[in-house]
Amino acid sequence: MSRLRVTTLLLLLSLLSGCSDNDATVTKYDKSLSTLPCLSLVVFPPDSLIEERLANLYTFKEDCPYELQVSRKSGIVCNSNQNAQAKALSNFPHGFIRFDIYKKRKPLYCYYKDLTSELQKRDIEDGFNRLRSDFHLK
């Protein structure tokens, strides 16, 4: 196989596989923080699926200074011509789910995951279980 064909094939494979990465991005702003005593919950915009699923996974305390803010977006549409190839050749995100932890408006943690389909219970569980393991929540 010629060098040009190999290069073209590798470029095409990286393009097709590079955009389909479905892993979450996690940012821990305070690296020294390894445990949390409790969490309060804010879901915005309100979403009964998220609230019910999280209530089954953890007992939230309204008076806790550590606030878990959960947000999601669905139906993401990009009409830009510049994204036409990415949309046609990859799993262009349909939406996202995001878990942020704040203490007195100071960000401590962020879990973000692009979704290639509608939000499922499993997406909520995966995000919260990652947060739970990162902070050793019971």
Side-chain angles (χ1 to χ4, degrees):
M1 202 180 258
S2 74
R3 186 177 213 173
L4 180 59
R5 283 187 181 180
V6 170
T7 303
T8 304
L9 181 62
L10 289 175
L11 181 62
L12 183 60
L13 286 174
S14 67
L15 175 66
L16 292 174
S17 64
C19 297
S20 64
D21 187 7
N22 207 19
D23 292 333
T25 300
V26 175
T27 305
K28 200 170 183 182
Y29 298 103
D30 184 350
K31 308 280 190 230
S32 66
L33 187 63
S34 61
T35 61
L36 295 175
C38 59
L39 284 172
S40 63
L41 178 64
V42 174
V43 178
F44 189 80
D47 186 302
S48 59
L49 175 66
I50 294 173
E51 291 170 3
E52 290 169 11
R53 191 67 222 131
L54 289 175
N56 288 329
L57 294 172
Y58 185 77
T59 303
F60 294 92
K61 298 180 181 175
E62 281 189 41
D63 61 344
C64 182
Y66 296 96
E67 183 177 87
L68 172 60
Q69 295 182 7
V70 182
S71 58
R72 77 172 185 107
K73 174 84 173 150
S74 62
I76 293 177
V77 178
C78 183
N79 296 325
S80 171
N81 293 337
Q82 296 167 344
N83 289 326
Q85 287 179 339
K87 287 173 69 173
L89 299 174
S90 70
N91 287 335
F92 196 80
H94 178 272
F96 68 82
I97 187 162
R98 183 175 174 147
F99 294 78
D100 291 293
I101 298 176
Y102 292 90
K103 184 177 183 185
K104 297 182 181 177
R105 297 186 187 176
K106 179 183 175 190
L108 303 175
Y109 179 89
C110 178
Y111 169 98
Y112 175 93
K113 182 176 181 181
D114 282 329
L115 303 174
T116 55
S117 62
E118 286 293 325
L119 179 68
Q120 305 291 318
K121 286 182 181 181
R122 181 74 182 173
D123 299 316
I124 301 164
E125 293 166 358
D126 288 348
F128 189 78
N129 287 335
R130 172 62 192 267
L131 182 152
R132 174 178 268 159
S133 71
D134 287 346
F135 290 105
H136 310 289
L137 292 173
K138 295 179 183 181

